[in-house]
Amino acid sequence: LCGDSGAGKTVLSRFVSWMNGLNIFQIKAHSRYGVEEFFEDLRGVMRRVGCEGERITFIFDESNVLSSGFLEAMNALLASGEVPGLFEGDDYNSLLNSCRDSAARDGIILDSDEEVWRRFTTLVQRNLHVVFTVNPSGGDWKNRSTTSPALFNRCVVDWFGSWSPKALGEVGKEFTMKLDLGDAEAVGGTWGIGDGECLMNKVGEVFEGSGGS
């Protein structure tokens, strides 16, 4: 989803996910959050969708891209349903056992590890829905189409336009209808909030052009 900050990309994603019965997953980035923590989160959410059959929307905002490794992993996940090297050693064996148990509960017998892994990646691609929210005015926008092609050719790119003055006015009206506005309430009010924002934007542009003097 591409649009200016505050356009409602995340809110809409959560609402549509709720309408379709999908759970929400978002990483909780912090100052010490790095690639290893991100990979651990990925392992967890992939187990949920690939072993437990849970349907999840992974809302991934560009502000959470704290390292190029984040985008590389997401690009691989979107392209093939797996991230090379994510499950190794004990993690890999534990994952295969969980997948076999899940398949057995569904009445499916899988003989080889390759069959188990193929079923896992198929379920990941079926049950995990990734929503990547970006601001096209950001500095890295032009580079992502070449460095992470799956973000574009494996996704549907939807553009969010700016809020119109009328829409902004309606939002203001909805949130102030029950407030005591004195005389404005008696005459019905004009609800020119949206126009007011446009006016203030123009004033700001003139102020910046004059150097703030």
Side-chain angles (χ1 to χ4, degrees):
L1 295 180
C2 308
D4 294 336
S5 298
K9 301 184 294 293
T10 299
V11 172
L12 181 63
S13 299
R14 297 178 70 90
F15 178 65
V16 173
S17 297
W18 171 78
M19 288 180 61
N20 289 277
L22 277 70
N23 294 321
I24 301 295
F25 177 79
Q26 291 178 275
I27 65 174
K28 297 180 174 61
H30 50 78
S31 59
R32 296 183 180 180
Y33 192 91
V35 174
E36 288 303 319
E37 289 76 14
F38 181 63
F39 282 180
E40 185 60 35
D41 280 340
L42 275 184
R43 281 189 283 267
V45 73
M46 289 175 70
R47 286 192 190 97
R48 290 166 61 186
V49 296
C51 298
E52 302 171 17
E54 188 176 350
R55 299 170 66 227
I56 293 178
T57 298
F58 183 2
I59 302 177
F60 189 52
D61 187 74
E62 64 176 343
S63 63
N64 297 140
V65 183
L66 305 180
S67 167
S68 60
F70 289 23
L71 280 183
E72 292 172 4
M74 294 302 296
N75 185 70
L77 178 62
L78 289 169
S80 61
E82 62 179 292
V83 179
L86 188 64
F87 292 95
E88 294 182 330
D90 293 339
D91 285 332
Y92 179 72
N93 293 328
S94 175
L95 175 69
L96 292 183
N97 291 333
S98 297
C99 288
R100 281 196 179 91
D101 293 340
S102 174
R105 288 194 296 269
D106 293 337
I108 301 174
I109 304 301
L110 302 174
D111 297 324
S112 66
D113 290 349
E114 289 75 16
E115 289 178 321
V116 176
W117 182 255
R118 193 180 306 116
R119 171 181 163 83
F120 172 72
T121 56
T122 299
L123 289 176
V124 168
Q125 291 178 307
R126 180 188 304 166
N127 294 329
L128 182 61
H129 302 266
V130 177
V131 178
F132 188 42
T133 57
V134 298
N135 185 343
S137 61
D140 293 333
W141 169 257
K142 294 181 180 180
N143 299 326
R144 287 187 178 133
S145 60
T146 54
T147 59
S148 303
L151 293 179
F152 296 86
N153 58 32
R154 293 281 181 167
C155 295
V156 176
V157 180
D158 286 327
W159 290 85
F160 267 63
S162 300
W163 285 64
S164 68
K166 180 179 180 181
L168 290 172
E170 289 297 324
V171 171
K173 178 180 178 180
E174 182 67 25
F175 280 94
T176 57
M177 284 180 61
K178 297 182 180 180
L179 298 179
D180 184 2
L181 301 178
D183 294 338
E185 185 177 6
V187 297
T190 60
W191 307 108
I193 297 174
D195 293 330
E197 190 203 34
C198 292
L199 176 62
M200 292 307 297
N201 287 338
K202 292 180 181 179
V203 171
E205 292 172 2
V206 172
F207 183 76
E208 292 176 0
S210 63
S213 58

